[in-house]
Amino acid sequence: MIIDTTEIQDINSFSRLESLKEVYGIIWILVPILTLVLGITIGVLVIVWLEREISAAIQQRIGPEYAGPLGVLQALADGTKLLFKENLIPSRGDIRLFSIGPSISVISILVSYSVIPFGYNFVLADLNIGVFLWIAISSIAPIGLLMSGYGSNNKYSFLGGLRAAAQSISYEIPLTLCVLSISLLSNSLSTVDIVDAQSKYGFFGWNLWRQPIGFIIFLISSLAECERLPFDLPEAEEELVAGYQTEYSGIKFGLFYVASYLNLLVSSLFVTVLYLGGWNISIPYIFVSELFEINKTCGVFGTTIGIFITLAKTYLFLFLSITTRWTLPRLRMDQLLNLGWKFLLPISLGNLLLTTSFRLFSL
Protein backbone atom coordinates (compact mmCIF):
# COMPACT_ATOMS: atom_id res chain seq x y z
CA MET A 1 0.00 0.00 0.00
CA ILE A 2 1.49 3.34 -1.11
CA ILE A 3 0.51 6.57 0.70
CA ASP A 4 1.06 9.82 -1.11
CA THR A 5 3.22 12.33 0.79
CA THR A 6 0.82 15.17 -0.07
CA GLU A 7 -1.97 13.32 1.73
CA ILE A 8 0.23 12.96 4.82
CA GLN A 9 1.01 16.70 4.73
CA ASP A 10 -2.70 17.52 4.43
CA ILE A 11 -3.50 15.31 7.41
CA ASN A 12 -0.72 16.91 9.48
CA SER A 13 -1.81 20.44 8.59
CA PHE A 14 -5.42 19.58 9.43
CA SER A 15 -4.40 18.16 12.83
CA ARG A 16 -2.34 21.28 13.54
CA LEU A 17 -5.30 23.48 12.61
CA GLU A 18 -7.58 21.53 14.95
CA SER A 19 -5.06 21.77 17.80
CA LEU A 20 -4.73 25.54 17.22
CA LYS A 21 -8.52 25.90 17.36
CA GLU A 22 -8.56 24.06 20.69
CA VAL A 23 -5.81 26.32 22.05
CA TYR A 24 -7.68 29.45 20.90
CA GLY A 25 -10.88 28.10 22.46
CA ILE A 26 -9.14 27.60 25.81
CA ILE A 27 -7.62 31.10 25.60
CA TRP A 28 -11.01 32.69 24.87
CA ILE A 29 -12.43 30.90 27.91
CA LEU A 30 -9.59 31.99 30.20
CA VAL A 31 -9.34 35.63 29.06
CA PRO A 32 -12.75 36.76 30.46
CA ILE A 33 -12.12 34.90 33.72
CA LEU A 34 -8.65 36.42 34.17
CA THR A 35 -10.00 39.87 33.26
CA LEU A 36 -12.73 39.52 35.89
CA VAL A 37 -10.22 38.36 38.54
CA LEU A 38 -7.94 41.32 37.71
CA GLY A 39 -10.85 43.77 37.96
CA ILE A 40 -11.96 42.26 41.28
CA THR A 41 -8.41 42.53 42.67
CA ILE A 42 -8.17 46.20 41.71
CA GLY A 43 -11.65 46.81 43.15
CA VAL A 44 -10.67 45.27 46.51
CA LEU A 45 -7.49 47.37 46.66
CA VAL A 46 -9.58 50.50 46.00
CA ILE A 47 -12.05 49.52 48.75
CA VAL A 48 -9.25 49.05 51.30
CA TRP A 49 -7.76 52.43 50.42
CA LEU A 50 -11.19 54.12 50.55
CA GLU A 51 -11.99 52.59 53.92
CA ARG A 52 -8.73 53.82 55.41
CA GLU A 53 -9.15 57.31 54.00
CA ILE A 54 -12.82 57.62 55.00
CA SER A 55 -12.22 56.23 58.49
CA ALA A 56 -9.32 58.65 58.93
CA ALA A 57 -11.54 61.56 57.88
CA ILE A 58 -14.33 60.49 60.27
CA GLN A 59 -11.87 60.16 63.18
CA GLN A 60 -10.06 63.37 62.25
CA ARG A 61 -6.65 61.79 61.76
CA ILE A 62 -4.17 61.28 58.92
CA GLY A 63 -4.69 58.13 56.87
CA PRO A 64 -2.12 56.27 54.73
CA GLU A 65 0.07 58.72 52.83
CA TYR A 66 3.55 57.25 52.32
CA ALA A 67 3.02 54.06 50.24
CA GLY A 68 2.46 55.55 46.80
CA PRO A 69 0.64 58.80 45.95
CA LEU A 70 -1.99 59.49 48.62
CA GLY A 71 -1.24 56.06 50.11
CA VAL A 72 -2.93 54.09 47.30
CA LEU A 73 -0.33 51.31 47.49
CA GLN A 74 -0.74 50.73 51.24
CA ALA A 75 -2.99 47.68 50.79
CA LEU A 76 -0.53 46.19 48.29
CA ALA A 77 2.31 46.75 50.76
CA ASP A 78 0.34 45.06 53.56
CA GLY A 79 -0.46 42.09 51.32
CA THR A 80 3.22 41.71 50.37
CA LYS A 81 4.21 41.83 54.03
CA LEU A 82 1.70 39.10 54.95
CA LEU A 83 2.91 36.98 52.04
CA PHE A 84 6.42 36.80 53.51
CA LYS A 85 5.38 36.31 57.13
CA GLU A 86 5.77 32.94 58.81
CA ASN A 87 2.78 30.61 58.48
CA LEU A 88 2.12 29.17 61.95
CA ILE A 89 -0.02 26.05 62.50
CA PRO A 90 -1.46 25.00 65.91
CA SER A 91 0.30 21.87 67.14
CA ARG A 92 -2.91 20.16 68.34
CA GLY A 93 -5.28 21.52 65.73
CA ASP A 94 -6.74 19.82 62.68
CA ILE A 95 -4.22 20.81 60.01
CA ARG A 96 -6.46 19.98 57.04
CA LEU A 97 -9.45 22.00 58.28
CA PHE A 98 -7.13 24.78 59.44
CA SER A 99 -5.57 25.07 55.96
CA ILE A 100 -8.70 24.58 53.83
CA GLY A 101 -10.99 27.00 55.73
CA PRO A 102 -9.63 30.35 54.39
CA SER A 103 -9.52 29.02 50.81
CA ILE A 104 -13.18 27.91 50.93
CA SER A 105 -14.23 31.36 52.14
CA VAL A 106 -12.42 33.15 49.30
CA ILE A 107 -13.28 30.75 46.45
CA SER A 108 -16.99 30.56 47.28
CA ILE A 109 -17.27 34.36 47.12
CA LEU A 110 -15.19 34.62 43.92
CA VAL A 111 -17.57 32.28 42.07
CA SER A 112 -20.46 34.65 42.87
CA TYR A 113 -18.97 37.31 40.57
CA SER A 114 -19.64 35.13 37.52
CA VAL A 115 -23.36 36.06 37.42
CA ILE A 116 -22.99 39.83 37.96
CA PRO A 117 -23.69 41.94 34.84
CA PHE A 118 -21.30 44.91 34.77
CA GLY A 119 -22.78 46.26 31.53
CA TYR A 120 -25.06 45.46 28.62
CA ASN A 121 -24.08 41.95 27.42
CA PHE A 122 -21.05 42.15 29.73
CA VAL A 123 -21.49 39.22 32.13
CA LEU A 124 -19.45 36.06 32.52
CA ALA A 125 -22.46 33.70 32.83
CA ASP A 126 -26.06 34.82 32.26
CA LEU A 127 -27.86 32.01 34.08
CA ASN A 128 -31.60 31.59 34.59
CA ILE A 129 -30.97 31.11 38.32
CA GLY A 130 -28.31 33.80 38.69
CA VAL A 131 -29.42 35.35 42.00
CA PHE A 132 -30.11 31.98 43.60
CA LEU A 133 -26.66 30.78 42.54
CA TRP A 134 -25.18 33.73 44.44
CA ILE A 135 -27.21 32.90 47.56
CA ALA A 136 -26.35 29.21 47.37
CA ILE A 137 -22.61 29.77 46.84
CA SER A 138 -22.27 32.57 49.40
CA SER A 139 -23.76 30.30 52.07
CA ILE A 140 -20.67 28.08 51.72
CA ALA A 141 -18.36 30.83 53.06
CA PRO A 142 -19.49 30.49 56.73
CA ILE A 143 -18.70 26.76 56.50
CA GLY A 144 -15.09 27.75 55.80
CA LEU A 145 -15.13 30.02 58.87
CA LEU A 146 -16.58 27.21 61.01
CA MET A 147 -13.91 24.81 59.73
CA SER A 148 -11.23 27.39 60.56
CA GLY A 149 -12.56 27.86 64.08
CA TYR A 150 -12.86 24.13 64.74
CA GLY A 151 -9.47 23.29 63.21
CA SER A 152 -7.68 25.89 65.35
CA ASN A 153 -8.29 23.93 68.60
CA ASN A 154 -9.00 27.20 70.36
CA LYS A 155 -12.18 28.03 72.26
CA TYR A 156 -12.22 31.64 71.07
CA SER A 157 -11.79 30.56 67.45
CA PHE A 158 -14.49 27.91 67.78
CA LEU A 159 -16.93 30.41 69.31
CA GLY A 160 -16.20 32.79 66.45
CA GLY A 161 -16.91 30.06 63.91
CA LEU A 162 -20.18 29.16 65.63
CA ARG A 163 -21.20 32.82 65.69
CA ALA A 164 -20.43 33.14 61.97
CA ALA A 165 -22.64 30.12 61.18
CA ALA A 166 -25.52 31.34 63.39
CA GLN A 167 -25.32 34.86 61.95
CA SER A 168 -25.28 33.58 58.36
CA ILE A 169 -28.35 31.38 58.90
CA SER A 170 -30.24 34.17 60.69
CA TYR A 171 -29.77 36.80 57.98
CA GLU A 172 -29.67 34.66 54.85
CA ILE A 173 -33.38 33.82 55.12
CA PRO A 174 -34.63 37.47 55.07
CA LEU A 175 -32.14 38.24 52.30
CA THR A 176 -33.45 35.33 50.21
CA LEU A 177 -37.05 36.42 50.74
CA CYS A 178 -36.16 39.92 49.50
CA VAL A 179 -34.53 38.41 46.39
CA LEU A 180 -37.68 36.34 45.82
CA SER A 181 -39.77 39.52 45.88
CA ILE A 182 -37.52 41.11 43.26
CA SER A 183 -37.73 37.97 41.13
CA LEU A 184 -41.54 38.07 41.26
CA LEU A 185 -41.56 41.69 40.08
CA SER A 186 -39.12 40.94 37.26
CA ASN A 187 -40.55 37.51 36.31
CA SER A 188 -37.02 36.12 36.25
CA LEU A 189 -34.12 34.95 38.40
CA SER A 190 -31.56 36.11 35.85
CA THR A 191 -29.57 39.15 36.92
CA VAL A 192 -29.59 40.52 33.35
CA ASP A 193 -33.40 40.25 33.13
CA ILE A 194 -33.79 41.96 36.51
CA VAL A 195 -31.73 44.94 35.29
CA ASP A 196 -33.66 45.07 32.01
CA ALA A 197 -36.97 45.12 33.91
CA GLN A 198 -35.82 48.35 35.66
CA SER A 199 -34.67 50.12 32.50
CA LYS A 200 -38.03 51.33 31.19
CA TYR A 201 -38.51 54.46 33.31
CA GLY A 202 -34.94 55.28 34.29
CA PHE A 203 -34.54 56.53 37.85
CA PHE A 204 -38.23 55.96 38.63
CA GLY A 205 -38.08 52.39 37.36
CA TRP A 206 -35.66 51.21 40.04
CA ASN A 207 -36.83 48.43 42.34
CA LEU A 208 -35.81 50.71 45.19
CA TRP A 209 -39.12 52.58 44.78
CA ARG A 210 -41.23 49.45 44.28
CA GLN A 211 -39.59 47.55 47.14
CA PRO A 212 -38.49 50.12 49.77
CA ILE A 213 -39.02 47.74 52.71
CA GLY A 214 -37.19 44.95 50.89
CA PHE A 215 -34.33 47.35 50.11
CA ILE A 216 -33.84 48.23 53.80
CA ILE A 217 -33.99 44.55 54.83
CA PHE A 218 -31.58 43.60 52.05
CA LEU A 219 -29.23 46.39 53.14
CA ILE A 220 -29.17 45.23 56.79
CA SER A 221 -28.92 41.54 55.87
CA SER A 222 -26.07 42.10 53.44
CA LEU A 223 -24.11 44.02 56.10
CA ALA A 224 -24.68 41.13 58.51
CA GLU A 225 -23.61 38.61 55.85
CA CYS A 226 -20.39 40.58 55.34
CA GLU A 227 -19.83 40.62 59.14
CA ARG A 228 -19.37 44.37 59.15
CA LEU A 229 -19.97 46.61 62.12
CA PRO A 230 -22.38 46.66 63.87
CA PHE A 231 -22.63 42.94 63.01
CA ASP A 232 -19.00 41.80 63.41
CA LEU A 233 -19.76 39.46 66.34
CA PRO A 234 -17.74 36.48 64.94
CA GLU A 235 -14.49 38.47 65.33
CA ALA A 236 -15.35 40.75 68.25
CA GLU A 237 -11.94 41.65 69.68
CA GLU A 238 -13.28 42.61 73.13
CA GLU A 239 -14.79 39.13 73.59
CA LEU A 240 -13.01 36.62 71.32
CA VAL A 241 -9.50 38.09 70.78
CA ALA A 242 -9.95 37.84 66.98
CA GLY A 243 -12.61 35.14 66.65
CA TYR A 244 -12.07 32.43 64.06
CA GLN A 245 -8.82 34.04 62.84
CA THR A 246 -7.09 34.12 66.24
CA GLU A 247 -4.58 31.35 65.44
CA TYR A 248 -3.85 32.46 61.87
CA SER A 249 -0.81 34.29 60.57
CA GLY A 250 0.79 35.14 57.25
CA ILE A 251 -1.12 34.82 54.00
CA LYS A 252 -3.88 32.68 55.54
CA PHE A 253 -4.65 35.54 57.92
CA GLY A 254 -4.74 37.88 54.93
CA LEU A 255 -7.17 35.60 53.06
CA PHE A 256 -9.84 36.28 55.69
CA TYR A 257 -9.57 40.02 55.06
CA VAL A 258 -9.64 39.44 51.31
CA ALA A 259 -12.80 37.32 51.74
CA SER A 260 -14.40 40.07 53.85
CA TYR A 261 -13.79 42.77 51.23
CA LEU A 262 -14.75 40.45 48.37
CA ASN A 263 -18.04 39.77 50.12
CA LEU A 264 -18.61 43.47 50.70
CA LEU A 265 -17.97 44.24 47.02
CA VAL A 266 -20.23 41.46 45.72
CA SER A 267 -23.03 42.53 48.10
CA SER A 268 -22.72 46.12 46.88
CA LEU A 269 -22.84 44.96 43.27
CA PHE A 270 -26.00 42.95 43.94
CA VAL A 271 -27.61 45.97 45.62
CA THR A 272 -26.86 47.87 42.40
CA VAL A 273 -28.21 45.10 40.17
CA LEU A 274 -31.35 44.28 42.17
CA TYR A 275 -32.43 47.73 43.39
CA LEU A 276 -30.50 50.54 41.65
CA GLY A 277 -31.00 49.71 37.98
CA GLY A 278 -27.60 48.17 37.27
CA TRP A 279 -25.83 49.70 34.26
CA ASN A 280 -28.79 51.90 33.21
CA ILE A 281 -28.46 55.68 33.22
CA SER A 282 -30.38 57.12 36.16
CA ILE A 283 -32.26 59.85 34.28
CA PRO A 284 -36.05 59.83 33.76
CA TYR A 285 -36.89 58.37 30.37
CA ILE A 286 -39.33 61.14 29.45
CA PHE A 287 -36.56 63.77 29.48
CA VAL A 288 -33.77 62.25 27.38
CA SER A 289 -34.84 58.98 25.81
CA GLU A 290 -31.80 58.90 23.49
CA LEU A 291 -29.42 58.40 26.41
CA PHE A 292 -30.98 55.02 27.14
CA GLU A 293 -29.57 53.66 23.91
CA ILE A 294 -25.98 54.70 24.74
CA ASN A 295 -25.10 51.76 26.98
CA LYS A 296 -26.97 49.35 24.70
CA THR A 297 -24.76 50.17 21.74
CA CYS A 298 -22.28 47.51 20.76
CA GLY A 299 -18.63 48.34 21.15
CA VAL A 300 -16.15 49.57 23.68
CA PHE A 301 -17.84 52.92 24.34
CA GLY A 302 -21.23 51.50 25.37
CA THR A 303 -19.63 48.80 27.53
CA THR A 304 -17.36 51.34 29.23
CA ILE A 305 -20.32 53.62 30.02
CA GLY A 306 -22.24 50.68 31.50
CA ILE A 307 -19.31 49.56 33.66
CA PHE A 308 -18.74 53.13 34.89
CA ILE A 309 -22.40 53.55 35.90
CA THR A 310 -22.47 50.18 37.67
CA LEU A 311 -19.29 50.90 39.62
CA ALA A 312 -20.43 54.44 40.53
CA LYS A 313 -23.61 53.07 42.13
CA THR A 314 -21.65 50.25 43.78
CA TYR A 315 -19.11 52.54 45.39
CA LEU A 316 -21.90 54.80 46.62
CA PHE A 317 -23.26 51.86 48.61
CA LEU A 318 -19.73 51.01 49.74
CA PHE A 319 -19.36 54.54 51.10
CA LEU A 320 -22.53 54.02 53.17
CA SER A 321 -21.21 50.68 54.46
CA ILE A 322 -17.87 52.19 55.47
CA THR A 323 -19.43 55.17 57.25
CA THR A 324 -21.82 52.81 59.06
CA ARG A 325 -18.85 50.85 60.39
CA TRP A 326 -17.36 53.94 62.04
CA THR A 327 -20.69 55.33 63.26
CA LEU A 328 -22.67 52.58 65.01
CA PRO A 329 -21.60 50.50 68.04
CA ARG A 330 -21.48 46.71 67.97
CA LEU A 331 -24.63 44.78 68.88
CA ARG A 332 -24.76 42.02 71.47
CA MET A 333 -25.21 38.47 70.19
CA ASP A 334 -28.77 38.21 71.53
CA GLN A 335 -29.68 41.56 69.95
CA LEU A 336 -28.26 40.40 66.60
CA LEU A 337 -30.29 37.17 66.63
CA ASN A 338 -33.46 38.94 67.84
CA LEU A 339 -33.17 41.46 65.01
CA GLY A 340 -32.82 38.69 62.44
CA TRP A 341 -35.48 36.25 63.66
CA LYS A 342 -38.06 38.48 65.39
CA PHE A 343 -38.05 41.54 63.12
CA LEU A 344 -36.43 41.05 59.70
CA LEU A 345 -37.84 37.57 59.04
CA PRO A 346 -41.54 38.45 59.69
CA ILE A 347 -41.25 41.77 57.82
CA SER A 348 -39.58 40.13 54.80
CA LEU A 349 -42.26 37.41 54.79
CA GLY A 350 -44.98 40.08 54.85
CA ASN A 351 -43.21 41.95 52.04
CA LEU A 352 -43.11 38.76 49.95
CA LEU A 353 -46.83 38.10 50.56
CA LEU A 354 -47.71 41.68 49.56
CA THR A 355 -45.62 41.39 46.40
CA THR A 356 -47.23 38.06 45.52
CA SER A 357 -50.72 39.48 46.08
CA PHE A 358 -49.90 42.49 43.92
CA ARG A 359 -48.68 40.25 41.09
CA LEU A 360 -51.75 38.01 41.31
CA PHE A 361 -54.19 40.92 41.20
CA SER A 362 -52.34 42.59 38.31
CA LEU A 363 -52.69 39.52 36.07
Side-chain angles (χ1 to χ4, degrees):
M1 182 177 178
I2 301 174
I3 301 176
D4 192 2
T5 55
T6 56
E7 292 181 0
I8 296 175
Q9 290 175 355
D10 291 339
I11 292 170
N12 290 335
S13 62
F14 180 76
S15 61
R16 288 196 204 98
L17 183 63
E18 288 297 320
S19 61
L20 281 174
K21 285 183 179 179
E22 291 178 1
V23 171
Y24 286 143
I26 294 171
I27 290 174
W28 279 112
I29 291 173
L30 291 177
V31 165
I33 296 174
L34 294 176
T35 304
L36 181 62
V37 171
L38 179 64
I40 292 168
T41 305
I42 296 172
V44 168
L45 293 176
V46 172
I47 293 172
V48 175
W49 177 76
L50 277 177
E51 177 150 38
R52 294 185 173 188
E53 288 290 339
I54 293 170
S55 62
I58 291 173
Q59 297 173 346
Q60 295 183 347
R61 58 180 175 82
I62 299 173
E65 58 178 349
Y66 294 110
L70 300 176
V72 293
L73 300 179
Q74 185 63 52
L76 198 62
D78 291 341
T80 307
K81 178 186 72 175
L82 287 173
L83 190 62
F84 289 102
K85 276 186 171 290
E86 184 180 2
N87 189 18
L88 301 175
I89 298 175
S91 58
R92 296 184 180 180
D94 192 319
I95 298 175
R96 286 178 297 179
L97 294 180
F98 185 83
S99 302
I100 293 172
S103 303
I104 289 178
S105 300
V106 173
I107 293 171
S108 62
I109 298 169
L110 274 175
V111 175
S112 305
Y113 284 88
S114 60
V115 296
I116 296 176
F118 292 89
Y120 184 70
N121 288 334
F122 195 76
V123 57
L124 196 61
D126 181 15
L127 303 177
N128 293 329
I129 53 167
V131 285
F132 271 3
L133 179 71
W134 165 56
I135 292 170
I137 297 235
S138 62
S139 61
I140 300 174
I143 298 175
L145 304 183
L146 187 57
M147 290 168 62
S148 303
Y150 182 78
S152 298
N153 192 29
N154 181 309
K155 60 182 179 181
Y156 294 116
S157 301
F158 187 50
L159 279 173
L162 288 176
R163 282 186 175 187
Q167 183 169 320
S168 174
I169 293 169
S170 301
Y171 285 87
E172 221 162 64
I173 300 173
L175 187 141
T176 307
L177 293 174
C178 294
V179 171
L180 268 175
S181 302
I182 294 295
S183 302
L184 281 172
L185 285 176
S186 307
N187 290 322
S188 177
L189 291 172
S190 167
T191 50
V192 176
D193 292 343
I194 289 172
V195 175
D196 284 337
Q198 302 175 69
S199 63
K200 189 175 181 182
Y201 301 107
F203 178 74
F204 298 109
W206 288 0
N207 287 328
L208 169 65
W209 312 118
R210 296 193 287 176
Q211 288 281 312
I213 298 173
F215 174 73
I216 295 171
I217 296 172
F218 190 93
L219 205 68
I220 297 171
S221 300
S222 60
L223 282 178
E225 285 286 308
C226 297
E227 295 167 9
R228 303 276 299 177
L229 268 168
F231 304 107
D232 65 334
L233 272 300
E235 51 187 86
E237 65 272 9
E238 293 94 345
E239 306 166 17
L240 304 179
V241 185
Y244 51 81
Q245 56 193 8
T246 301
E247 298 291 340
Y248 282 89
S249 63
I251 191 60
K252 291 179 182 175
F253 179 78
L255 282 177
F256 284 119
Y257 278 94
V258 171
S260 173
Y261 284 108
L262 283 173
N263 205 2
L264 181 61
L265 180 58
V266 78
S267 298
S268 304
L269 284 166
F270 269 102
V271 169
T272 301
V273 168
L274 297 177
Y275 290 97
L276 303 182
W279 65 80
N280 292 304
I281 296 176
S282 309
I283 300 173
Y285 184 79
I286 54 176
F287 295 133
V288 275
S289 58
E290 295 81 9
L291 283 177
F292 284 81
E293 303 302 321
I294 289 178
N295 48 358
K296 288 188 178 181
T297 56
C298 299
V300 178
F301 179 72
T303 304
T304 305
I305 292 292
I307 294 173
F308 176 77
I309 293 170
T310 302
L311 292 180
K313 296 175 182 177
T314 300
Y315 277 92
L316 174 63
F317 174 74
L318 282 168
F319 175 77
L320 296 176
S321 303
I322 293 169
T323 51
T324 302
R325 176 181 179 180
W326 299 102
T327 305
L328 300 178
R330 180 184 293 121
L331 298 177
R332 295 197 314 267
M333 193 64 195
D334 60 321
Q335 292 174 333
L336 180 136
L337 294 177
N338 284 338
L339 177 64
W341 290 105
K342 294 183 179 179
F343 292 95
L344 297 186
L345 179 59
I347 295 172
S348 58
L349 270 172
N351 181 60
L352 178 61
L353 289 173
L354 283 174
T355 307
T356 308
S357 305
F358 172 77
R359 292 297 297 172
L360 286 174
F361 286 122
S362 62
L363 293 176

